PDB file of all heavy atoms in Angstrom:
ATOM      1  N   THR A 766      22.847  -2.375  22.672  1.00 95.00           N
ATOM      2  CA  THR A 766      22.532  -1.625  21.454  1.00 95.00           C
ATOM      3  C   THR A 766      21.075  -1.156  21.480  1.00 95.00           C
ATOM      4  O   THR A 766      20.772  -0.006  21.154  1.00 95.00           O
ATOM      5  CB  THR A 766      22.774  -2.506  20.205  1.00 95.00           C
ATOM      6  OG1 THR A 766      24.117  -2.975  20.259  1.00 95.00           O
ATOM      7  CG2 THR A 766      22.572  -1.734  18.919  1.00 95.00           C
ATOM      8  N   LEU A 767      20.171  -2.046  21.887  1.00 95.00           N
ATOM      9  CA  LEU A 767      18.747  -1.696  21.895  1.00 95.00           C
ATOM     10  C   LEU A 767      18.425  -0.616  22.921  1.00 95.00           C
ATOM     11  O   LEU A 767      17.495   0.169  22.731  1.00 95.00           O
ATOM     12  CB  LEU A 767      17.901  -2.942  22.173  1.00 95.00           C
ATOM     13  CG  LEU A 767      17.733  -3.870  20.972  1.00 95.00           C
ATOM     14  CD1 LEU A 767      17.193  -5.226  21.403  1.00 95.00           C
ATOM     15  CD2 LEU A 767      16.804  -3.241  19.939  1.00 95.00           C
ATOM     16  N   THR A 768      19.171  -0.595  24.018  1.00 93.00           N
ATOM     17  CA  THR A 768      18.889   0.404  25.045  1.00 93.00           C
ATOM     18  C   THR A 768      19.745   1.653  24.838  1.00 93.00           C
ATOM     19  O   THR A 768      19.576   2.639  25.564  1.00 93.00           O
ATOM     20  CB  THR A 768      19.163  -0.158  26.456  1.00 93.00           C
ATOM     21  OG1 THR A 768      20.507  -0.644  26.512  1.00 93.00           O
ATOM     22  CG2 THR A 768      18.213  -1.286  26.792  1.00 93.00           C
ATOM     23  N   GLY A 769      20.672   1.577  23.872  1.00 89.00           N
ATOM     24  CA  GLY A 769      21.536   2.716  23.608  1.00 89.00           C
ATOM     25  C   GLY A 769      22.540   2.960  24.724  1.00 89.00           C
ATOM     26  O   GLY A 769      22.974   4.086  24.945  1.00 89.00           O
ATOM     27  N   ARG A 770      22.879   1.879  25.455  1.00 83.00           N
ATOM     28  CA  ARG A 770      23.794   2.023  26.599  1.00 83.00           C
ATOM     29  C   ARG A 770      24.974   1.097  26.391  1.00 83.00           C
ATOM     30  O   ARG A 770      24.792  -0.083  26.079  1.00 83.00           O
ATOM     31  CB  ARG A 770      23.065   1.645  27.883  1.00 83.00           C
ATOM     32  CG  ARG A 770      21.776   2.397  28.046  1.00 83.00           C
ATOM     33  CD  ARG A 770      22.020   3.749  28.631  1.00 83.00           C
ATOM     34  NE  ARG A 770      22.213   3.589  30.051  1.00 83.00           N
ATOM     35  CZ  ARG A 770      21.206   3.349  30.877  1.00 83.00           C
ATOM     36  NH1 ARG A 770      19.992   3.302  30.439  1.00 83.00           N
ATOM     37  NH2 ARG A 770      21.443   3.177  32.148  1.00 83.00           N
ATOM     38  N   ARG A 771      26.144   1.628  26.616  1.00 77.00           N
ATOM     39  CA  ARG A 771      27.343   0.863  26.298  1.00 77.00           C
ATOM     40  C   ARG A 771      27.540  -0.359  27.172  1.00 77.00           C
ATOM     41  O   ARG A 771      28.004  -1.397  26.729  1.00 77.00           O
ATOM     42  CB  ARG A 771      28.559   1.781  26.406  1.00 77.00           C
ATOM     43  CG  ARG A 771      28.709   2.655  25.188  1.00 77.00           C
ATOM     44  CD  ARG A 771      30.038   2.477  24.573  1.00 77.00           C
ATOM     45  NE  ARG A 771      31.075   2.865  25.525  1.00 77.00           N
ATOM     46  CZ  ARG A 771      32.178   3.476  25.176  1.00 77.00           C
ATOM     47  NH1 ARG A 771      32.369   3.752  23.919  1.00 77.00           N
ATOM     48  NH2 ARG A 771      33.077   3.798  26.063  1.00 77.00           N
ATOM     49  N   ARG A 772      27.224  -0.227  28.456  1.00 77.00           N
ATOM     50  CA  ARG A 772      27.543  -1.330  29.367  1.00 77.00           C
ATOM     51  C   ARG A 772      26.387  -1.657  30.314  1.00 77.00           C
ATOM     52  O   ARG A 772      26.581  -1.955  31.479  1.00 77.00           O
ATOM     53  CB  ARG A 772      28.788  -0.992  30.181  1.00 77.00           C
ATOM     54  CG  ARG A 772      30.071  -1.222  29.414  1.00 77.00           C
ATOM     55  CD  ARG A 772      31.255  -0.831  30.256  1.00 77.00           C
ATOM     56  NE  ARG A 772      31.356  -1.642  31.475  1.00 77.00           N
ATOM     57  CZ  ARG A 772      31.961  -2.817  31.532  1.00 77.00           C
ATOM     58  NH1 ARG A 772      32.495  -3.355  30.475  1.00 77.00           N
ATOM     59  NH2 ARG A 772      32.024  -3.469  32.664  1.00 77.00           N
ATOM     60  N   LEU A 773      25.174  -1.590  29.800  1.00 79.00           N
ATOM     61  CA  LEU A 773      24.039  -1.939  30.669  1.00 79.00           C
ATOM     62  C   LEU A 773      24.133  -3.431  30.998  1.00 79.00           C
ATOM     63  O   LEU A 773      24.174  -3.823  32.155  1.00 79.00           O
ATOM     64  CB  LEU A 773      22.719  -1.615  29.972  1.00 79.00           C
ATOM     65  CG  LEU A 773      21.483  -1.679  30.845  1.00 79.00           C
ATOM     66  CD1 LEU A 773      21.463  -0.562  31.868  1.00 79.00           C
ATOM     67  CD2 LEU A 773      20.214  -1.605  30.012  1.00 79.00           C
ATOM     68  N   ALA A 774      24.169  -4.249  29.962  1.00 77.00           N
ATOM     69  CA  ALA A 774      24.427  -5.672  30.171  1.00 77.00           C
ATOM     70  C   ALA A 774      25.925  -5.875  29.994  1.00 77.00           C
ATOM     71  O   ALA A 774      26.535  -5.302  29.111  1.00 77.00           O
ATOM     72  CB  ALA A 774      23.660  -6.499  29.158  1.00 77.00           C
ATOM     73  N   TYR A 775      26.483  -6.672  30.849  1.00 68.00           N
ATOM     74  CA  TYR A 775      27.923  -6.864  30.824  1.00 68.00           C
ATOM     75  C   TYR A 775      28.308  -7.819  29.690  1.00 68.00           C
ATOM     76  O   TYR A 775      27.804  -8.929  29.607  1.00 68.00           O
ATOM     77  CB  TYR A 775      28.378  -7.424  32.173  1.00 68.00           C
ATOM     78  CG  TYR A 775      29.868  -7.556  32.291  1.00 68.00           C
ATOM     79  CD1 TYR A 775      30.697  -6.447  32.146  1.00 68.00           C
ATOM     80  CD2 TYR A 775      30.447  -8.801  32.519  1.00 68.00           C
ATOM     81  CE1 TYR A 775      32.066  -6.567  32.245  1.00 68.00           C
ATOM     82  CE2 TYR A 775      31.826  -8.915  32.617  1.00 68.00           C
ATOM     83  CZ  TYR A 775      32.625  -7.798  32.475  1.00 68.00           C
ATOM     84  OH  TYR A 775      33.980  -7.913  32.554  1.00 68.00           O
ATOM     85  N   VAL A 776      29.156  -7.351  28.802  1.00 55.00           N
ATOM     86  CA  VAL A 776      29.625  -8.206  27.705  1.00 55.00           C
ATOM     87  C   VAL A 776      30.683  -9.113  28.303  1.00 55.00           C
ATOM     88  O   VAL A 776      31.785  -8.695  28.608  1.00 55.00           O
ATOM     89  CB  VAL A 776      30.165  -7.361  26.531  1.00 55.00           C
ATOM     90  CG1 VAL A 776      30.672  -8.250  25.419  1.00 55.00           C
ATOM     91  CG2 VAL A 776      29.079  -6.437  26.007  1.00 55.00           C
ATOM     92  N   SER A 777      30.303 -10.362  28.501  1.00 52.00           N
ATOM     93  CA  SER A 777      31.071 -11.229  29.386  1.00 52.00           C
ATOM     94  C   SER A 777      32.325 -11.795  28.740  1.00 52.00           C
ATOM     95  O   SER A 777      32.308 -12.207  27.591  1.00 52.00           O
ATOM     96  CB  SER A 777      30.192 -12.357  29.907  1.00 52.00           C
ATOM     97  OG  SER A 777      30.360 -13.479  29.110  1.00 52.00           O
ATOM     98  N   LYS A 778      33.361 -11.776  29.491  1.00 49.00           N
ATOM     99  CA  LYS A 778      34.606 -12.387  29.030  1.00 49.00           C
ATOM    100  C   LYS A 778      34.950 -13.596  29.901  1.00 49.00           C
ATOM    101  O   LYS A 778      35.947 -14.258  29.694  1.00 49.00           O
ATOM    102  CB  LYS A 778      35.761 -11.368  29.092  1.00 49.00           C
ATOM    103  CG  LYS A 778      35.542 -10.145  28.213  1.00 49.00           C
ATOM    104  CD  LYS A 778      35.748 -10.453  26.730  1.00 49.00           C
ATOM    105  CE  LYS A 778      35.379  -9.282  25.875  1.00 49.00           C
ATOM    106  NZ  LYS A 778      34.148  -9.500  25.095  1.00 49.00           N
ATOM    107  N   THR A 779      34.129 -13.849  30.899  1.00 54.00           N
ATOM    108  CA  THR A 779      34.389 -14.980  31.789  1.00 54.00           C
ATOM    109  C   THR A 779      33.198 -15.931  31.743  1.00 54.00           C
ATOM    110  O   THR A 779      32.284 -15.827  32.547  1.00 54.00           O
ATOM    111  CB  THR A 779      34.598 -14.496  33.241  1.00 54.00           C
ATOM    112  OG1 THR A 779      33.542 -13.587  33.554  1.00 54.00           O
ATOM    113  CG2 THR A 779      35.923 -13.825  33.432  1.00 54.00           C
ATOM    114  N   PRO A 780      33.192 -16.851  30.779  1.00 54.00           N
ATOM    115  CA  PRO A 780      32.018 -17.687  30.541  1.00 54.00           C
ATOM    116  C   PRO A 780      31.565 -18.457  31.777  1.00 54.00           C
ATOM    117  O   PRO A 780      32.372 -19.049  32.470  1.00 54.00           O
ATOM    118  CB  PRO A 780      32.482 -18.675  29.461  1.00 54.00           C
ATOM    119  CG  PRO A 780      33.716 -18.094  28.875  1.00 54.00           C
ATOM    120  CD  PRO A 780      34.306 -17.194  29.909  1.00 54.00           C
TER     121      PRO A 780
END
Side-chain angles (χ1 to χ4, degrees):
T766 305
L767 282 166
T768 55
R770 307 277 281 285
R771 281 236 299 217
R772 280 178 62 86
L773 191 69
Y775 185 59
V776 179
S777 95
K778 299 285 174 250
T779 48

